[in-house]
Amino acid sequence: MNNLRLKALLGAGCFSLLISGVANAGGFDRGGVNIDQLFDAAPYSFDAGVTYVSPQRTLKNVQRLDGSGMSSSSVDVGGDYAVPRIGIKANIFEPVDCLASYTEPYGAEADFGMNNAYSPTAVEYYVKTNDFGLTCSYKINVGKGSLRFIGGVSYQEVDAFLSRQTLLAFGNTGLGKFKLSDEAWGWRVGAAYEIPEIALRASLVYSSSYKYDGLSGTVDSTGFRGGPLADLVPGSTGVFPVSASAEIPQAVELKLQSGIAPGWLAFGSIRWQEWSKLGIIPIQGVRSPVTGGIPGSPDSPVSFDLLYRDGWTVSGGIAHKFTDQLSGAVSLTWDRGTSTTSGYQSDTWSVASGISYSPNDKIEVRLGGSIGVLTSGSSTFTGVGDTANAITYTYDDDLLLAGSASVKVKF
């Protein structure tokens, strides 16, 4: 079983690489906080990598439902992004291991461009997070293997941005820009059982929600200035405070892996996250006499109308050790889209593969890639929360591409 024991070390790396290669799950999920490095057999390890994701989404038959009559035959959604991660694992003393990590586990990115039917809803938006985590485990011997009790905390920062193009009176146009930020704490708890001789590991981890109850920032209306309503109040800057409240919802993830033959490993995972918590998120503002009657002003109804449903991600695959230095893996993933009556997050199917090369027992280099299909669908939203979001469109099956690279040093 020594070959399987080696595969347990290499397979875990390939498994992590494949999961990160599918960093385009529903809601704002970009892989969450991955703690697989905590199970490294080496007493100490340093792991750093990045995943680049390119969803090729195009909206078609875009028509506004706000009475303006605007329409566009197609709108390309520019939303490429990269997810970095860094981890340092240490065996504090024999039964206790800890992992300090940094990643950007949640986010969203889209650029719809100017002067099209989607521009009054959004020209550009993004949600970005920074997560600084510490996760530890306590291991005890049970039967043929060992049981780990897992617990950890994360400090997470979020930045959100939304810009809109609005047609004003007298033929003037403007670009309003909303910026919000906040920070929150979250925690995780779980357990894992391992039998190294057959490369068996089963883990179940619960991650708490991150409550962003103090999102605050500004709306910049200087893009509207120059029109006949621009300078009603002398000295006004055109920048006003705004606030909101939202959360990154709780999640549960089950992971399994086991040796199935000498040099072969099977693995799989199921992840659930309560994205239905994100429905309509109002952006609260302060009334301003300068922008009081202009669409997009702080006192106008402005909101993120997400209306998500819960997300499910199911993945499975196999890994194989070709030589003492080279191993590879392939996986298939299905992610249930979280969009309901609005949005374009449909179901996603993707195939990922990766290789792991270890020139010696201290260094491991991993490369991977995935190709997938963003399935077709349609969206019709009448603007229950925000009339600027009243829009309908369709979308066909689109391509999803991703690539990742990482290096691990063990000592």
Side-chain angles (χ1 to χ4, degrees):
M1 291 294 182
N2 289 335
N3 202 15
L4 284 178
R5 185 189 292 273
L6 278 173
K7 189 62 242 171
L9 306 181
L10 295 174
C14 288
F15 178 47
S16 300
L17 176 135
L18 289 169
I19 291 298
S20 65
V22 194
N24 194 69
F28 297 149
D29 189 8
R30 290 182 171 176
V33 179
N34 192 319
I35 62 169
D36 282 357
Q37 189 183 350
L38 185 65
F39 300 99
D40 277 359
Y44 305 95
S45 67
F46 171 81
D47 195 356
V50 63
T51 299
Y52 185 83
V53 183
S54 180
Q56 309 290 307
R57 180 61 92 188
T58 299
L59 309 183
K60 297 186 175 181
N61 307 311
V62 185
Q63 298 182 11
R64 299 209 57 79
L65 302 177
D66 55 6
S68 66
M70 293 180 64
S71 64
S72 297
S73 58
S74 67
V75 175
D76 290 331
V77 182
D80 292 8
Y81 59 89
V83 182
R85 58 182 177 82
I86 297 174
I88 300 174
K89 180 259 183 180
N91 178 237
I92 307 303
F93 50 89
E94 183 46 40
V96 177
D97 295 291
C98 286
L99 170 66
S101 61
Y102 166 78
T103 187
E104 298 175 11
Y106 301 102
E109 199 112 9
D111 186 349
F112 304 94
M114 299 276 286
N115 304 313
N116 61 66
Y118 205 95
S119 301
T121 298
V123 172
E124 181 184 1
Y125 78 82
Y126 64 72
V127 175
K128 297 180 179 179
T129 59
N130 293 296
D131 188 285
F132 304 88
L134 178 65
T135 307
C136 294
S137 69
Y138 184 88
K139 184 167 58 175
I140 60 175
N141 294 326
V142 176
K144 296 182 178 180
S146 58
L147 178 66
R148 289 182 189 251
F149 297 98
I150 301 169
V153 296
S154 278
Y155 170 76
Q156 197 172 104
E157 303 169 335
V158 65
D159 290 293
F161 173 82
L162 168 67
S163 63
R164 287 175 167 176
Q165 183 182 15
T166 305
L167 181 64
L168 304 179
F170 310 103
N172 295 297
T173 61
L175 189 67
K177 301 176 182 179
F178 297 83
K179 293 183 179 180
L180 293 157
S181 62
D182 197 9
E183 56 278 327
W185 287 87
W187 53 272
R188 65 193 66 89
V189 63
Y193 184 70
E194 303 167 278
I195 303 179
E197 285 296 327
I198 58 173
L200 173 69
R201 182 167 75 234
S203 65
L204 181 65
V205 176
Y206 168 83
S207 298
S208 75
S209 61
Y210 296 81
K211 301 285 189 179
Y212 289 109
D213 294 326
L215 280 163
S216 61
T218 60
V219 55
D220 184 345
S221 63
T222 56
F224 295 99
R225 302 178 71 80
L229 303 177
D231 296 307
L232 296 181
V233 176
S236 172
T237 64
V239 179
F240 308 97
V242 291
S243 62
S245 178
E247 69 176 85
I248 298 295
Q250 63 182 342
V252 178
E253 186 167 28
L254 171 68
K255 291 185 176 181
L256 299 169
Q257 73 169 49
S258 178
I260 54 177
W264 290 89
L265 183 84
F267 56 85
S269 67
I270 301 175
R271 178 179 173 86
W272 167 84
Q273 192 151 13
E274 197 178 11
W275 290 112
S276 58
K277 284 285 188 178
L278 299 186
I280 293 176
I281 303 174
I283 300 177
Q284 307 294 335
V286 178
R287 177 173 289 276
S288 164
V290 175
T291 61
I294 299 176
S297 66
D299 54 301
S300 298
V302 176
S303 61
F304 286 102
D305 298 330
L306 300 173
L307 301 178
Y308 285 153
R309 62 178 177 175
D310 289 353
W312 287 91
T313 304
V314 181
S315 182
I318 57 173
H320 180 56
K321 178 179 172 61
F322 299 104
T323 68
D324 288 341
Q325 290 77 38
L326 185 66
S327 60
V330 62
S331 72
L332 174 66
T333 298
W334 167 74
D335 181 81
R336 188 180 81 158
T338 54
S339 291
T340 55
T341 56
S342 68
Y344 46 85
Q345 288 194 2
S346 58
D347 288 11
T348 300
W349 291 89
S350 58
V351 176
S353 63
I355 58 171
S356 171
Y357 176 69
S358 300
N360 53 55
D361 60 359
K362 302 296 184 183
I363 298 175
E364 180 183 356
V365 179
R366 301 183 299 257
L367 298 173
S370 68
I371 184 169
V373 176
L374 305 167
T375 57
S376 61
S378 63
S379 173
T380 299
F381 185 64
T382 57
V384 175
D386 184 345
T387 54
N389 294 326
I391 194 169
T392 181
Y393 52 84
T394 63
Y395 44 91
D396 297 332
D397 292 343
D398 290 309
L399 193 63
L400 171 66
L401 301 172
S404 61
S406 65
V407 61
K408 179 185 290 185
V409 180
K410 309 170 189 178
F411 48 95

